[in-house]
Amino acid sequence: MDVSRRDLLRTAGALSALLASGIPIAAKAQAKQLVIDCHGHYTTEPQELNVFRQTQIAALKDPSVKPSAASPKIGDDQLRDSVQIQLKFQRERGTDLALFSPRASGMGHHIGTAETSADWSRVCNELIHRICTLLPDNFIGVGQLPQSPGVKPDNCIEELERCVKSYGFVGMNLNPDPSGGYWRDPPLTDRWWYPLYEKFVELDVPAMIHVSASINPNFNTLGGHYMAADTTAFMQLLTSDLFKDFPKLRMIIPHGGGAVPFHWGRYRGLAQDMKKPPLEELLLKNVYFDTCVYHQPGMELLFKVIPVDNILFASEMVGAIRGVDPRTDHYYDDTKRYIDALQLSEDDRRKVFETNARHVYRLDRNANFRRHI
Ligand SMILES: [Zn+2]
């Protein structure tokens, strides 16, 4: 071991300062609380990625232009440059790292065939992996599944396994409606999904339930489809015994759970009328909500209604809402500010910002995460 005299002196100095402070060493080691944003998307991709996708889509009509399934040529410097805005926001807002996945609206599972989705998912997941490798202090990977409408989700198992085992991804986004707003596939509780859930459980990673773009003109992607899907997914889970079959399956409902917290009384009542156990028992050992709620009253409601053990800090930065709120002069998606204003106890803050995510995503297994502890 190569330990310099200077290192030894520095360690000895730090130790004596700790002892002199009178604070037990264990308590000091606990003092640093991480801020983990569990919901970030790669929304600032280089143009080469969009060209690849456009060519891939054009090839559905004219196979002669089909791009190679190999990744588009994007250099490391381009990747680093492309996420500078995320890094700036992380610094300014005081987040330590983000769980980072491909652009959700770009997953586009409704486009083309299962093969189209497989090629596209591999390309997008590889870029996420490269960013997490280039910037291990800032990003941990979450993947995109190659879902396709009408195709059994068994076809996603290989990519799920590859992302977790080869890339070290800690979760995947699971689209409850690959048809893009028409809900043509069976509900999340159907046995249709079970082989994929078995793999999630075996790999011990959670699924964030996240739709992609809507092609149904009735549903605006960000304001209609996302919110409706979050609420719909929760209600699907409520009507089922899914977590009796998969007691270890973990799901995150993003965007604060859609309308669920606001209508918690309705969902409690529905469960009661269906002779189901209380929601805490039925769902809250497996279902979590993130904090992508973009105003103070909404955040207050979320924390009033949902137990703190089931809330994970997230901002979806840089994502759905990019502007500044003229009433506060802060970005709408600067969600940490709303949580800071809640004046949570030290224990609750640590749960929301750090330990709940560590538990749900089993982050301690991830090499990038271990750099922080
Ligand atoms: Zn999202």
Side-chain angles (χ1 to χ4, degrees):
M1 200 159 83
D2 186 17
V3 181
S4 72
R5 186 176 144 72
R6 191 194 299 165
D7 285 339
L8 279 172
L9 285 172
R10 195 184 294 141
T11 308
L15 265 175
S16 50
L18 258 180
L19 293 171
S21 72
I23 299 172
I25 291 175
K28 269 279 182 190
Q30 261 225 330
K32 160 81 176 149
Q33 177 208 274
L34 292 172
V35 177
I36 303 163
D37 184 341
C38 80
H39 187 171
H41 296 296
Y42 188 26
T43 52
T44 53
E45 322 90 328
Q47 195 49 29
E48 283 83 346
L49 186 67
N50 299 325
V51 170
F52 174 91
R53 180 60 164 168
Q54 283 154 15
T55 315
Q56 196 197 26
I57 292 169
L60 296 170
K61 285 192 181 142
D62 175 7
S64 70
V65 300
K66 186 172 187 249
S68 150
S71 289
K73 299 264 174 293
I74 300 173
D76 287 353
D77 287 343
Q78 266 180 296
L79 288 181
R80 262 193 221 95
D81 288 348
S82 70
V83 293
Q84 287 308 308
I85 184 73
Q86 279 89 351
L87 299 180
K88 176 174 173 284
F89 284 140
Q90 282 187 11
R91 282 192 302 271
E92 287 176 1
R93 300 178 185 185
T95 52
D96 291 292
L97 71 163
L99 308 194
F100 203 50
S101 64
R103 182 194 287 265
S105 62
M107 295 190 294
H109 293 123
H110 56 276
I111 297 171
T113 62
E115 189 195 349
T116 316
S117 277
D119 289 345
W120 177 231
S121 297
R122 273 196 297 272
V123 166
C124 291
N125 289 332
E126 191 194 335
L127 286 185
I128 294 294
H129 172 57
R130 286 178 59 200
I131 289 170
C132 295
T133 307
L134 289 167
L135 296 157
D137 286 332
N138 301 91
F139 297 110
I140 292 177
V142 168
Q144 162 181 330
L145 291 169
Q147 296 175 247
S148 193
V151 177
K152 282 194 154 196
D154 306 41
N155 77 319
C156 298
I157 290 174
E158 191 183 335
E159 185 65 3
L160 165 59
E161 192 150 36
R162 193 177 75 87
C163 284
V164 174
K165 289 189 172 169
S166 303
Y167 290 165
F169 283 8
V170 295
M172 298 295 272
N173 292 331
L174 176 66
N175 185 347
D177 172 30
S179 72
Y182 288 97
W183 296 88
R184 292 195 178 114
D185 281 353
L188 286 172
T189 49
D190 193 276
R191 286 182 177 271
W192 170 264
W193 301 91
Y194 274 28
L196 185 58
Y197 294 157
E198 280 165 16
K199 188 53 74 173
F200 269 102
V201 171
E202 181 195 316
L203 296 168
D204 202 13
V205 292
M208 177 173 277
I209 307 302
H210 204 312
V211 282
S212 188
S214 163
I215 49 165
N216 181 337
N218 290 289
F219 296 108
N220 171 277
T221 294
L222 301 175
H225 191 38
Y226 279 20
M227 299 297 108
D230 301 335
T231 313
T232 300
F234 184 84
M235 188 61 208
Q236 289 180 0
L237 299 174
L238 189 154
T239 57
S240 79
D241 288 324
L242 179 66
F243 297 117
K244 266 192 192 156
D245 290 342
F246 292 99
K248 294 187 172 167
L249 183 62
R250 303 183 297 286
M251 291 178 167
I252 301 104
I253 313 249
H255 320 114
V260 170
F262 193 67
H263 288 288
W264 195 243
R266 173 175 291 254
Y267 295 107
R268 283 182 55 226
L270 282 165
Q272 190 174 311
D273 288 351
M274 290 177 201
K275 314 287 181 219
K276 298 272 185 192
L279 295 181
E280 290 76 8
E281 201 181 311
L282 180 67
L283 297 176
L284 293 186
K285 290 172 190 150
N286 306 82
V287 176
Y288 300 84
F289 297 78
D290 80 10
T291 66
C292 294
V293 174
Y294 294 159
H295 67 148
Q296 190 68 44
M299 194 67 85
E300 285 168 13
L301 178 90
L302 175 69
F303 277 79
K304 246 184 207 166
V305 172
I306 303 299
V308 73
D309 287 342
N310 292 76
I311 302 176
L312 277 64
F313 170 65
S315 69
E316 204 172 25
M317 173 275 287
V318 173
I321 311 292
R322 301 196 178 197
V324 169
D325 183 347
R327 295 186 187 175
T328 63
D329 288 334
H330 296 291
Y331 286 96
Y332 287 98
D333 66 4
D334 187 356
T335 54
K336 183 167 175 293
R337 302 184 68 86
Y338 311 132
I339 301 171
D340 287 343
L342 295 178
Q343 310 263 335
L344 299 176
S345 72
E346 197 52 39
D347 273 0
D348 286 353
R349 273 182 66 82
R350 187 176 284 272
K351 283 179 180 177
V352 171
F353 285 120
E354 180 185 335
T355 51
N356 290 349
R358 277 174 86 161
H359 164 68
V360 173
Y361 288 89
R362 305 286 192 257
L363 290 181
D364 290 56
R365 294 184 306 190
N366 180 276
N368 289 11
F369 182 74
R370 286 199 301 272
R371 297 165 72 94
H372 290 270
I373 54 176

